[in-house]
Amino acid sequence: MSSNSRATISQEQKTKAENFVSLITGVIDIIDEIADKIDDKSYLELCNKLRDLYKLKPTDNVAKYLVSQLEDNEVVVENVRRSRMAVRSKKTEIMDDYEKLKSGHYKRCEDCSRVVSKGYFHAHKKNGVCIKTTSSKKISADTGMANTSKQEDLICKITAIKHKKKSRSNNHEASSSSD
């Protein structure tokens, strides 16, 4: 199986990104067109584009959204990038761990045993899932128990108490130094 190092997305995600980019580009084009004056046709076309944009982001206030999205905004840049991405093949979507490892673009984390892409590996080692899975594996090895959820719950409680005490201590020091 040949591997593609370029990122891919589903056809649905790509279509949605292309629609978003098309609408934003259309709005920007109309705004440029009517910068000096605005006629009824341009106004109606702009309103229709805004309505279509609103349908993509129904929870956002359209005016605030449009102002924040124009040109170099990260959402616009991201959707432009996504609209140019290749659509992932079905084969890529169902790649199993063996195929991932065979491709050379992935490796197994020696701590949590997950198969992770090499580009993400450094960040993976710092994420909570890897850290908690590693901790859980160590507890299982030390206790000989397969189910260690009670022990892990206890560790969570102790950690929470420790953080609360540390927070109180820091707050007390901050208020003492300001006196």
Side-chain angles (χ1 to χ4, degrees):
M1 182 183 118
S2 69
S3 65
N4 184 357
S5 62
R6 286 185 56 198
T8 60
I9 57 175
S10 70
Q11 182 62 54
E12 180 183 352
Q13 291 170 318
K14 182 176 177 77
T15 301
K16 195 177 218 181
E18 288 171 336
N19 289 341
F20 179 87
V21 170
S22 175
L23 289 168
I24 283 289
T25 303
V27 169
I28 292 170
D29 290 345
I30 292 170
I31 291 171
D32 286 343
E33 179 184 312
I34 62 173
D36 296 333
K37 61 182 180 184
I38 190 164
D39 60 27
D40 290 343
K41 180 183 177 218
S42 295
Y43 177 77
L44 288 174
E45 193 175 343
L46 178 61
C47 288
N48 287 338
K49 297 265 187 212
L50 288 171
R51 180 201 63 222
D52 294 342
L53 184 62
Y54 185 80
K55 288 177 184 175
L56 289 176
K57 292 288 188 180
T59 59
D60 295 335
N61 177 310
V62 176
K64 288 181 185 175
Y65 184 76
L66 225 171
V67 169
S68 70
Q69 302 308 314
L70 295 175
E71 296 183 343
D72 292 330
N73 182 275
E74 64 186 73
V75 173
V76 174
V77 171
E78 174 66 10
N79 277 286
V80 168
R81 185 188 66 76
R82 290 173 64 104
S83 72
R84 294 178 181 149
M85 289 173 73
V87 174
R88 78 172 69 100
S89 67
K90 293 291 181 186
K91 183 76 173 168
T92 303
E93 291 180 28
I94 56 171
M95 187 184 259
D96 61 25
D97 285 352
Y98 174 76
E99 290 171 319
K100 288 178 182 178
L101 292 169
K102 192 170 108 178
S103 76
H105 295 290
Y106 295 83
K107 66 182 190 177
R108 185 173 302 280
C109 175
E110 64 278 358
D111 295 329
C112 71
S113 301
R114 282 186 168 74
V115 175
V116 181
S117 71
K118 289 181 177 178
Y120 177 69
F121 194 76
H122 184 71
H124 163 79
K125 297 293 273 182
K126 293 181 179 181
N127 88 20
V129 174
C130 181
I131 292 167
K132 288 184 180 187
T133 302
T134 303
S135 172
S136 178
K137 285 174 69 175
K138 286 179 183 175
I139 292 169
S140 288
D142 290 346
T143 63
M145 300 168 60
N147 184 350
T148 60
S149 58
K150 288 182 181 178
Q151 290 80 358
E152 291 172 48
D153 287 346
L154 183 59
I155 290 170
C156 287
K157 289 176 185 177
I158 293 168
T159 304
I161 291 168
K162 181 180 169 185
H163 285 295
K164 285 180 184 177
K165 284 184 178 179
K166 186 175 181 180
S167 177
R168 281 190 216 128
S169 174
N170 289 341
N171 289 341
H172 178 68
E173 288 174 15
S175 65
S176 296
S177 64
S178 65
D179 290 339

